[in-house]
Amino acid sequence: PSCLQVRNEFYKDTQGVILVYDVGQKESFDALDAWLAEMKQELGPHGNMENIVFVVCANKIDCAKHRSVDESEGRLWAEGRGFLYFETSAQTGEGINEMFQNFYSAIIDLCDNGGKRPLSSVGVGFTKEQADAIRRIRSSKDSWDMLGVKPGATRDEVNKAYRKLAVLLHPDKCVAPGSEDAFKAVVNARTALLKNIK
């Protein structure tokens, strides 16, 4: 049988899922979206992803020098979806016990809650807009891109774009992983742009 035929047996009646990626392989992290999409499709229109406990394991943290997906990026992806997030090393065992203990207790909470994921299992304290802004800033190629303004924008346009992002990402207001770095990057981008605008 194909891999999918074997896998789809596992999707039915699932209560918990562990998604694992290798922190040194960006493509394994990028593939998480495809795994989720496949699962959603296999569960069909009556399947409910809300009734499943998801754990994301950022694995191989023992290979720190080869790391290409940092903690805040992984945590943002996981917690933005209401999933639990753990940094683990199958090699050294770091984080593994903690991950399984939390995973099992979340599944027990799920069963006690009538098969629905308790809302408190992961309190997402940030919005999709904040998460998307942080992701966009991380992947920006220059200061214009970072503020979301076109090269040649006026001082006024730069300041307006800056204010909007600063309010959205201010560390006092935004608890999304990576918000502090994104906020600093936005401050620096504005400074750099205003230097060059007469």
Side-chain angles (χ1 to χ4, degrees):
S2 72
C3 290
L4 179 57
Q5 280 173 312
V6 174
R7 285 201 301 271
N8 62 21
E9 287 303 306
F10 290 101
Y11 286 129
K12 294 198 291 281
D13 308 319
T14 300
Q15 289 181 306
V17 171
I18 300 176
L19 293 165
V20 183
Y21 68 92
D22 174 345
V23 298
Q25 299 246 322
K26 183 79 162 71
E27 53 276 24
S28 69
F29 174 69
D30 293 338
L32 294 178
D33 285 311
W35 283 109
L36 273 190
E38 178 185 296
M39 182 166 188
K40 205 171 201 157
Q41 195 175 342
E42 288 301 314
L43 288 173
H46 304 300
N48 192 349
M49 305 277 274
E50 298 304 308
N51 300 348
I52 297 169
V53 172
F54 284 90
V55 163
V56 176
C57 286
N59 194 39
K60 298 200 182 176
I61 57 166
D62 51 293
C63 309
K65 59 181 181 294
H66 300 300
R67 187 159 190 165
S68 59
V69 183
D70 69 19
E71 181 181 348
S72 64
E73 190 174 1
R75 194 176 281 285
L76 186 67
W77 188 92
E79 293 179 357
R81 289 164 174 76
F83 300 170
L84 299 162
Y85 174 87
F86 295 93
E87 297 257 300
T88 61
S89 165
Q91 180 79 31
T92 65
E94 190 183 341
I96 301 284
N97 283 345
E98 186 199 355
M99 182 272 290
F100 275 114
Q101 281 167 352
N102 280 277
F103 184 48
Y104 291 137
S105 61
I107 289 176
I108 290 165
D109 289 348
L110 176 102
C111 296
D112 290 347
N113 197 41
K116 286 195 170 44
R117 199 164 55 192
L119 289 174
S120 62
S121 66
V122 180
V124 179
F126 54 91
T127 65
K128 184 175 182 313
E129 189 188 3
Q130 288 171 323
D132 288 346
I134 292 168
R135 272 194 209 98
R136 192 180 60 69
I137 288 162
R138 276 172 182 277
S139 61
S140 296
K141 53 185 189 299
D142 58 28
S143 298
W144 298 107
D145 206 19
M146 200 169 273
L147 291 185
V149 291
K150 299 256 183 299
T154 63
R155 290 185 81 85
D156 210 33
E157 286 166 335
V158 166
N159 280 324
K160 197 174 164 188
Y162 162 76
R163 273 196 301 275
K164 189 178 172 208
L165 284 168
V167 167
L168 189 68
L169 300 174
H170 196 283
D172 290 350
K173 299 272 188 297
C174 182
V175 297
S179 60
E180 205 166 322
D181 288 343
F183 178 74
K184 285 181 191 148
V186 163
V187 171
N188 293 338
R190 173 199 185 216
T191 307
L193 292 182
L194 291 181
K195 268 193 191 119
N196 299 316
I197 297 175
K198 298 289 167 278

